[in-house]
Amino acid sequence: MHFELTEEQIAVRDAARDFANMELLPGIIERDNEQKVDLSLVKKLGEMGFLGMMVDPKYNGGGMDTISYVLAMEEISKVDASSAVIMSVNNSLVCWGLEKFGSEEQKQKYLTKLSTGENIGAFCLSEPEAGSDATSQRTTAEDKGDHYLVNGTKNWITNGGISDVCLVMAQTDPEKRHKGINCLIIEKGLDGFVVGKKEDKLGIRSSDTHSLMFGDVKVPKENRIGEDGFGFNFAMTTLNGGRIGIASQALGIASGAYELALKYSKERSAFGKPISQHQAIQFKLSDMATEIDAARLMILRAAWLKDNGKPFAREAAMAKLYASEVAMKVSVEAVQIHGGYGYVKEYHVERLMRDAKITQIYEGTSEIQRIVIARDLLK
């Protein structure tokens, strides 16, 4: 097997690393405390090409492969997991889904602006009573001939407050259950479209998470993605790629926590020598490095399969499951290595530990990943 990165992939990784340290690191503690999305930084992500990395250049995208995307996501997530999730949703769930399944008119109207960051996208699947059971959609899209009337509520929507374009799953024919669901492109500002309260979260606090409410929102038929009833299939297929993005975010959180712990262990002394010279700490660092490396290889495998047009759903689920578990474990150990300093904001690892938890929950909980894996193993 060939493990070397191309010159282009290395350049993307290094550019993301520099951007994270020079642009995202300053002010990160304040943004976390204030739950603030810095729109100027989101704009810079777009200007750097990080919001439409895999989109064809004819739609203003970067035309990059999934491996480049994984590398960039890891470097951004090492420093700022909140910016990384904005990046992940726009790339994996919105741009990829539109490019893969949207009409040419939809791509020209929406994708060309989403890929540059001129517009920001949101993916709207979860509801108050439809989380892991995504088939239980209660948001409705009533067919009115040339348009749909959309009613319902979506929650836990990343980019919900800052987005310009939302991909909304809604039930058109309840008797058909999941085969009656459609995905509609809904623009902000339409009559009846209301952005709800901002969620006060444990982690990724400087990303934007809102409920969205729809009351008789009129959506033209040309804004439906795919054939009638394609929405659930669209969502599940798109989430397969999204899991690579969140796995990469989890990897970045773990890598960032490990690097901080390694640095601190060389600087902090106890009993007359750096704590890195104590076997108890060495064992922790060894386990952390090994599990991070294993997660990285799993993610790169899933990305390679996707880039080469091979089935990758099981591998993406495995990568997301394992990387999220590693992120949680490594970030907790990083706090432990820092001791009391790990418990204060100044040393960053406490934020990484808080950020890690969500990777086990969104875009499919760890339990859902195990179901996805098992079904593929047993089919």
Side-chain angles (χ1 to χ4, degrees), residues 118-138:
E118 180 181 347
N119 285 347
I120 299 297
F123 183 85
C124 306
L125 177 64
S126 293
E127 298 183 0
E129 296 187 39
S132 292
D133 180 9
T135 62
S136 299
Q137 296 290 303
R138 296 194 178 183

Side-chain angles (χ1 to χ4, degrees), residues 55 87 103 126 129-130 136 152 165 216 234 299 359 374:
V55 175
M87 176 177 159
S103 67
S126 293
E129 296 187 39
S136 299
V165 177
D216 283 340
F234 170 87
I299 296 166
T359 67

Side-chain angles (χ1 to χ4, degrees), residues 280-354:
I281 301 300
Q282 291 177 346
F283 281 8
K284 288 182 185 294
L285 293 170
S286 296
D287 288 345
M288 293 160 80
T290 300
E291 291 173 354
I292 288 168
D293 213 30
R296 183 178 292 111
L297 289 170
M298 292 179 74
I299 296 166
L300 290 173
R301 177 183 66 169
W304 183 89
L305 290 169
K306 181 173 178 285
D307 284 336
N308 284 274
K310 299 178 183 294
F312 67 93
R314 181 175 73 186
E315 289 78 8
M318 286 178 167
K320 198 267 189 186
L321 169 63
Y322 187 71
S324 63
E325 303 288 331
V326 168
M328 197 68 239
K329 180 178 178 180
V330 168
S331 60
V332 169
E333 288 286 44
V335 171
Q336 191 71 16
I337 289 170
H338 278 76
Y341 291 105
Y343 211 65
V344 297
K345 294 181 182 295
E346 179 184 354
Y347 284 77
H348 297 291
V349 286
E350 64 84 30
R351 184 185 71 256
L352 291 169
M353 184 177 73
R354 288 187 285 107

Side-chain angles (χ1 to χ4, degrees), residues 233-277:
N233 192 8
F234 170 87
M236 295 302 103
T237 304
T238 304
L239 282 171
N240 287 333
R243 285 165 185 152
I244 295 176
I246 297 306
S248 304
Q249 181 194 31
L251 173 63
I253 293 169
S255 298
Y258 164 74
E259 290 175 6
L260 289 170
L262 179 64
K263 180 175 183 289
Y264 181 81
S265 74
K266 295 176 180 179
E267 297 170 349
R268 176 70 170 179
S269 292
F271 304 104
K273 57 184 178 182
I275 63 172
S276 61
Q277 298 303 307

Side-chain angles (χ1 to χ4, degrees), residues 18-27 31 38 41 44 79:
D18 290 344
F19 180 82
N21 285 297
M22 291 189 294
E23 299 285 351
L24 298 177
L25 186 57
R31 294 197 303 274
D38 189 333
L41 292 176
K44 287 179 181 178
V79 173

Side-chain angles (χ1 to χ4, degrees), residues 114-273:
L114 288 163
S115 61
T116 63
E118 180 181 347
N119 285 347
I120 299 297
F123 183 85
C124 306
L125 177 64
S126 293
E127 298 183 0
E129 296 187 39
S132 292
D133 180 9
T135 62
S136 299
Q137 296 290 303
R138 296 194 178 183
T139 296
T140 59
E142 186 180 355
D143 192 335
K144 292 293 186 178
D146 64 343
H147 67 276
Y148 293 100
L149 273 186
V150 179
N151 287 277
T153 299
K154 297 292 181 178
N155 66 344
W156 316 120
I157 304 304
T158 301
N159 299 345
I162 64 171
S163 61
D164 306 281
V165 177
C166 298
L167 304 187
V168 180
M169 309 317 134
Q171 181 63 261
T172 299
D173 190 344
E175 291 185 1
K176 294 182 179 179
R177 304 191 70 234
H178 69 282
K179 293 182 179 180
I181 295 171
N182 281 307
C183 176
L184 305 177
I185 304 169
I186 303 183
E187 299 177 40
K188 272 289 178 58
L190 293 177
D191 289 343
F193 187 163
V194 177
V195 177
K197 71 179 181 70
K198 185 174 183 176
E199 301 294 348
D200 187 0
K201 307 188 297 279
L202 171 72
I204 57 167
R205 287 169 61 81
S206 56
S207 68
D208 193 59
T209 308
H210 287 261
S211 294
L212 302 179
M213 282 81 81
F214 305 92
D216 283 340
V217 178
K218 187 176 179 180
V219 181
K221 271 281 181 70
E222 58 263 30
N223 280 30
R224 186 185 71 206
I225 296 178
E227 296 298 317
D228 187 29
F230 180 67
F232 185 77
N233 192 8
F234 170 87
M236 295 302 103
T237 304
T238 304
L239 282 171
N240 287 333
R243 285 165 185 152
I244 295 176
I246 297 306
S248 304
Q249 181 194 31
L251 173 63
I253 293 169
S255 298
Y258 164 74
E259 290 175 6
L260 289 170
L262 179 64
K263 180 175 183 289
Y264 181 81
S265 74
K266 295 176 180 179
E267 297 170 349
R268 176 70 170 179
S269 292
F271 304 104
K273 57 184 178 182

